[in-house]
Amino acid sequence: MVGLHAPSSIPNFAFFIFCMKNILTALSLLFATAMFAGETYWQQHVAYSMDIDVDVQNHQFTGKQKLVYTNNSPDELKRVFFHLYFNAFQPGSMMDVRSRTISDPDPRVGDRIAALAENEIGWLRVSTLTMNGKPVSFTEVGTILEVDLPKVIAPGSKTTFEMTFDAQVPLQIRRSGWMNKEGIELSMAQWYPKICEYDHEGWHATPYVGREFHGVWGDFDIHISIDEKYIIGGTGELKNPQEIGYGYTTRIVARKPVNGKLTWHFVAKNVHDFVWAADPDYIHQTAQVPNGPMLHFFYQSNELYDANWEELKHYAVEGFEFMSKNYGNYPYPQYSIIQGGDGGMEYPMATLITGERNLRSLVGVTIHEAAHSWYHGLLATNETLYEWMDEGFCSFATSRTLAHLFTDPMKKNPHQSAYQSYLSLARDGEDEALITPADGYMTNKAYGVAAYSKGEVLLEQLGYVIGEEVRDAALLAYFEKWKFKHPTPTTFKRVMEDVSGIELDWYFDYFVNSKHTIDYGIKQVEGSASNATIILERVGEMPMPVDVVVTLRNGNSLPINIPLVSMRGNKPLDVDGMQFELAPDWAWTNPYYALEIDIPISDILSIEIDPGFHMADIDRDNNRLDLSANTNFIFRN
Ligand SMILES: [Zn+2]
């Protein structure tokens, strides 16, 4: 047929070995060049010291903050910005208006912000601010403090900002707040004036509208004075358990409160945020991960759920072991699993989760948030722009870890539900491209499916493109190269290319930057007593390499891999326990491909594209051709 790819003989094991050699060379090159690749990368640094004094009666606190800011950028900074997240919880705020105008509001928010009373709204007010001891003027604009500097911050220099501030904790609406629905008194996320990130893309003075964060790497030294009856869990290590009469493993009643308050001292190094929660009724327990962090559990006793929290410990320990082995070694000394917030939310070295859940749900949310220690905590992408690298990769790790922890049908294909939810939205045409900024999706549904499900599919499907084991090795290489930094889609792609030896521009260009969908089909088969020609069709707009398995009537099968020209290589050919043969590349512009095999057509029982269901193919009806039941083939001679 005209325009079809010229077929050639298929088995080519010499080429396969050549490719494997390339992959190994690429692996060693990656590590050799890592030291050079970092030369153009820079990131800002913060060192926060804060003294916080909490009034638990009216949910207010005062704070003093000293921030040593290091400008590692090559740029002179004329302005700086701080986040004042609590200001979002006021009627008329951007978060309030967005929630009341989006077609499918998050039920946790809805119109609840608009209904907040004066003593229930949140606010964070900076009263004084100095730069290297000199007063600076500033303007509060919603959730952002705009600061014009009297003197530029020179490249490579350190600047000290000192501020005093007051705050009112909002009634719990989203993530932070007092009195969540399970009765936790203080969930303290996004609670302090936090300098915005400045990176190679400039300032990220992103208003708090609802979703996702981006923070500056650095160190936190935090003192929190609070009513002596309260127990605090949070980011970082507690430095003074003896002073407050509170041990990690035992409660010591030797408290020395001052005016009815105790001061908790936490230190966290090399993180980009600090969360805490406080409640007088917290039970505190611990579990040690072998060769890993101490896990801390903070929850209120509830006879319906206490047994689940008890069980959670060993699942969490095993989960951390699995994730450290597969996604990179967890480097911090501790991790706290804290009942609080409004579902599950990730923070460095800690999570706030709701706790009144069945065991599977409690383990599921804990593992998801803990997996964020890798995909957010350590590989800190700007989630406001690249939410799929945060939620999607985290969902991928969650599915795998849960499949490891629970023996159930999920274990066979842990990513099945992610594929289903992405494909169903794509079929309906309601999906939005992954490149959409987190707050910019037209619906919450499209955001959720894109960030979580399509992001998970992107990573699982990448294993189909470059090989599962190569993908897994590349994830570890990505962790080693980009932990404690801000990776971007391009830096991620580069690691995947380096480790696999395969060019991947096309994969990210289509799957991230467009809504193009994948659909491959078997058009027809024709053949003779000596051979067969299978005509494959690219129906969808997105090109992909194609795995085809031809099953013969004698029970044998012939698995074949057709790479794309754009890949400039191919994956290892052992897939799902089968040894694939390599076919010539498919140039994506051609909608058809003729696959010639030296097998009599009468010997063929069936032909299937991607029988392992690794490809996000929106129409699988055309993926399989059963020659015993189907007449769509031509027998020549
Ligand atoms: Zn998440």
Side-chain angles (χ1 to χ4, degrees):
M1 292 179 201
V2 180
L4 289 186
H5 191 106
S8 62
S9 68
I10 294 152
N12 191 340
F13 294 102
F15 183 59
F16 164 63
I17 290 161
F18 171 76
C19 286
M20 280 309 290
K21 271 188 184 159
N22 271 358
I23 288 167
L24 294 173
T25 311
L27 268 169
S28 52
L29 269 177
L30 171 74
F31 292 110
T33 55
M35 67 186 90
F36 303 110
E39 275 180 359
T40 55
Y41 178 82
W42 51 266
Q43 65 189 23
Q44 307 295 66
H45 185 270
V46 288
Y48 287 100
S49 310
M50 283 190 267
D51 288 303
I52 307 300
D53 190 7
V54 185
D55 180 342
V56 295
Q57 295 307 316
N58 59 12
H59 315 113
Q60 293 182 357
F61 61 92
T62 59
K64 281 185 201 154
Q65 181 188 96
K66 181 182 170 189
L67 166 62
V68 179
Y69 183 73
T70 309
N71 178 17
N72 291 318
S73 83
D75 310 323
E76 289 188 337
L77 303 181
K78 301 178 182 74
R79 313 171 77 186
V80 300
F81 301 90
F82 287 82
H83 293 285
L84 304 171
Y85 290 114
F86 274 3
N87 292 347
F89 302 100
Q90 298 172 8
S93 71
M94 288 177 73
M95 183 186 276
D96 174 38
V97 173
R98 176 66 167 164
S99 178
R100 286 187 288 115
T101 51
I102 198 165
S103 62
D104 62 338
D106 182 334
R108 290 172 294 196
V109 184
D111 59 1
R112 290 176 65 213
I113 296 176
L116 290 175
E118 252 330 280
N119 64 345
E120 295 172 334
I121 63 170
W123 43 258
L124 186 51
R125 292 177 192 146
V126 173
S127 34
T128 63
L129 176 63
T130 62
M131 174 187 177
N132 297 329
K134 298 200 174 67
V136 205
S137 64
F138 50 85
T139 314
E140 183 187 306
V141 181
T143 55
I144 296 291
L145 190 76
E146 302 174 351
V147 183
D148 285 314
L149 302 176
K151 194 168 172 283
V152 297
I153 303 177
S157 71
K158 279 187 197 306
T159 301
T160 302
F161 294 104
E162 285 180 272
M163 66 163 68
T164 54
F165 58 95
D166 302 272
Q168 177 165 285
V169 184
L171 175 68
Q172 205 273 331
I173 300 281
R174 188 74 185 92
R175 304 188 178 102
S176 316
W178 54 272
M179 197 50 64
N180 83 346
K181 67 174 186 180
E182 296 177 348
I184 300 299
E185 300 234 353
L186 291 170
S187 300
M188 299 293 284
Q190 290 90 30
W191 57 276
Y192 60 96
K194 180 182 182 183
I195 196 161
C196 298
E197 181 59 300
Y198 182 84
D199 61 20
H200 69 286
E201 292 169 318
W203 280 108
H204 296 281
T206 315
Y208 191 25
V209 172
R211 302 190 188 110
E212 308 298 354
F213 303 93
H214 187 37
V216 190
W217 281 101
D219 306 324
F220 291 73
D221 190 313
I222 313 288
H223 290 84
I224 302 166
S225 293
I226 194 166
D227 184 304
E228 61 168 318
K229 291 190 288 298
Y230 281 63
I231 291 168
I232 297 180
T235 303
E237 284 187 286
L238 179 62
K239 300 308 268 188
N240 62 340
Q242 296 299 324
E243 224 172 280
I244 57 159
Y246 185 74
Y248 272 169
T249 49
T250 51
R251 295 292 302 273
I252 309 156
V253 188
R255 306 162 159 229
K256 296 193 187 73
V258 177
N259 299 326
K261 288 184 179 179
L262 289 166
T263 301
W264 298 61
H265 181 203
F266 291 92
V267 170
K269 293 205 176 300
N270 219 357
V271 293
H272 47 74
D273 201 4
F274 187 98
V275 70
W276 58 284
D279 194 279
D281 303 318
Y282 271 149
I283 291 173
H284 172 226
Q285 294 171 334
T286 57
Q288 177 70 50
V289 180
N291 303 312
M294 178 69 87
L295 303 183
H296 295 261
F297 300 80
F298 297 87
Y299 63 100
Q300 282 185 347
S301 180
N302 177 324
E303 60 181 16
L304 292 174
Y305 305 105
D306 284 355
N308 295 345
W309 277 83
E310 192 59 43
E311 275 268 287
L312 173 64
K313 283 187 223 161
H314 82 85
Y315 283 109
V317 166
E318 283 174 40
F320 263 86
E321 286 184 289
F322 180 85
M323 291 189 284
S324 273
K325 181 167 167 258
N326 288 285
Y327 308 118
N329 195 43
Y330 181 85
Y332 300 113
Q334 72 96 20
Y335 185 80
S336 294
I337 296 153
I338 306 164
Q339 186 182 9
D342 57 3
M345 184 62 195
E346 69 276 13
Y347 306 98
M349 296 165 73
T351 177
L352 301 185
I353 60 170
T354 47
E356 296 175 3
R357 297 165 178 268
N358 65 44
L359 179 65
R360 179 61 188 253
S361 167
L362 188 64
V363 174
V365 71
T366 300
I367 294 299
H368 178 91
E369 305 313 334
H372 272 302
S373 297
W374 284 261
Y375 302 109
H376 159 260
L378 290 152
L379 295 156
T381 41
N382 179 352
E383 314 160 50
T384 66
L385 298 179
Y386 315 121
E387 61 283 348
W388 53 277
M389 295 178 68
D390 155 60
E391 294 301 349
F393 292 7
C394 177
S395 297
F396 172 88
T398 305
S399 297
R400 301 222 140 191
T401 308
L402 290 176
H404 169 77
L405 295 177
F406 293 96
T407 311
D408 62 17
M410 278 187 73
K411 201 164 186 172
K412 203 171 165 211
N413 183 358
H415 309 291
Q416 193 178 6
S417 63
Y419 276 78
Q420 278 167 353
S421 71
Y422 160 61
L423 288 171
S424 129
L425 203 70
R427 284 186 196 113
D428 294 345
E430 290 172 20
D431 60 324
E432 296 175 43
L434 282 184
I435 195 67
T436 312
D439 281 317
Y441 282 84
M442 288 183 282
T443 62
N444 274 308
K445 185 179 178 186
Y447 160 74
V449 171
Y452 291 75
S453 305
K454 193 178 180 186
E456 178 174 348
V457 169
L458 179 141
L459 206 45
E460 172 59 9
Q461 186 177 248
L462 186 59
Y464 169 81
V465 176
I466 65 174
E468 256 191 73
E469 285 175 20
V470 176
R471 187 266 327 272
D472 292 348
L475 281 179
L476 284 169
Y478 171 56
F479 178 85
E480 286 307 322
K481 188 165 178 178
W482 286 99
K483 65 185 173 185
F484 303 114
K485 296 192 178 91
H486 292 308
T488 64
T490 301
T491 58
F492 176 73
K493 186 201 74 161
R494 294 290 292 110
V495 176
M496 297 298 118
E497 289 180 334
D498 282 345
V499 176
S500 69
I502 291 172
E503 294 302 306
L504 293 167
D505 316 45
W506 61 275
Y507 184 66
F508 293 93
D509 287 347
Y510 282 94
F511 212 61
V512 173
N513 299 345
S514 86
K515 288 176 51 175
H516 288 358
T517 51
I518 300 162
D519 181 16
Y520 278 89
I522 302 165
K523 183 80 174 161
Q524 68 173 50
V525 189
E526 54 183 42
S528 67
S530 61
N531 61 41
T533 303
I534 302 162
I535 308 298
L536 303 170
E537 183 179 11
R538 176 179 59 75
V539 184
E541 308 91 348
M542 175 163 169
M544 282 288 281
V546 178
D547 282 356
V548 181
V549 176
V550 179
T551 303
L552 308 182
R553 291 183 193 278
N554 66 7
N556 292 341
S557 61
L558 176 65
I560 300 156
N561 171 246
I562 309 168
L564 287 169
V565 170
S566 324
M567 289 163 65
R568 312 292 166 199
N570 63 276
K571 67 177 168 183
L573 295 173
D574 48 330
V575 181
D576 294 340
M578 290 182 280
Q579 192 61 36
F580 277 61
E581 291 189 5
L582 190 64
D585 292 350
W586 185 334
W588 72 265
T589 46
N590 198 326
Y592 300 103
Y593 181 100
L595 178 63
E596 287 214 345
I597 52 176
D598 298 331
I599 287 171
I601 192 167
S602 53
D603 287 358
I604 298 174
L605 181 65
S606 64
I607 305 161
E608 188 165 6
I609 293 174
D610 181 34
F613 285 71
H614 300 298
M615 202 160 52
D617 189 321
I618 60 162
D619 177 12
R620 291 204 69 99
D621 287 348
N622 54 9
N623 282 39
R624 189 182 160 88
L625 194 64
D626 195 333
L627 272 72
S628 63
N630 201 303
T631 54
N632 189 20
F633 67 90
I634 302 160
F635 188 80
R636 285 198 306 253
N637 300 338

